Amino acid sequence: MPSTPPSRRLRRLPLPTFAFCLLHFALAAQPAPSQSRQFSYPRGIALDSAGNLYLADSGTDNIQKLTPAGVATTLAGLAGARASADGAGTAAGFNGPKDVAVDRAGNLYVADTANKSLRKITPAGAVTTLPGLAGN
């Protein structure tokens, strides 16, 4: 029997005390339901005070945002475009983002691992590289 490739899906799960989204890895070869979103290599996740879930996808080199209503969007980065560029939305470039964290002000911090950089995404969506030894 041929083996089926793994699929990675993000699903909204109704949980009594923790109702938001959960990253779910499924080994099924079935098409994703309409509320699922495909990822290449999802890594770190973070949750903000509004219940938004952020995910660093190292395979597509971008940052995804999923709202409590289940709306998934690319917050920053351009899929498949490995880069190190500041900007907003798809004008920003990442190279192997591996983790994300959110502060109380709603800023998102990204460990842009292959670029050896720490990046900041403001609530308005502006991506900047924090001072340090980026690229070294």
Side-chain angles (χ1 to χ4, degrees):
M1 176 174 250
S3 65
T4 57
S7 65
R8 296 157 179 89
R9 295 182 231 172
L10 192 61
R11 295 183 183 180
R12 181 176 173 80
L13 301 176
L15 300 175
T17 59
F18 201 58
F20 72 101
C21 300
L22 178 68
L23 184 64
H24 174 73
F25 290 93
L27 297 176
Q30 301 172 1
S34 62
Q35 290 186 337
S36 292
R37 185 172 179 102
Q38 297 291 324
F39 299 96
S40 178
Y41 194 57
R43 298 296 298 253
I45 58 173
L47 184 69
D48 70 12
S49 61
N52 296 304
L53 181 77
Y54 298 92
L55 179 135
D57 191 339
S58 289
T60 58
D61 299 307
N62 60 32
I63 308 302
Q64 301 290 323
K65 176 182 178 180
L66 184 69
T67 69
V71 177
T73 57
T74 298
L75 179 64
L78 182 60
R82 295 184 184 272
S84 178
D86 291 343
T90 58
F94 298 91
N95 189 356
K98 293 221 170 116
D99 208 355
V100 289
V102 181
D103 68 14
R104 289 183 182 167
N107 295 302
L108 185 68
Y109 297 89
V110 179
D112 193 4
T113 308
N115 283 326
K116 300 177 185 173
S117 300
L118 182 60
R119 313 291 293 284
K120 178 182 176 181
I121 305 174
T122 67
V127 179
T128 56
T129 303
L130 297 179
L133 300 174
N136 292 321

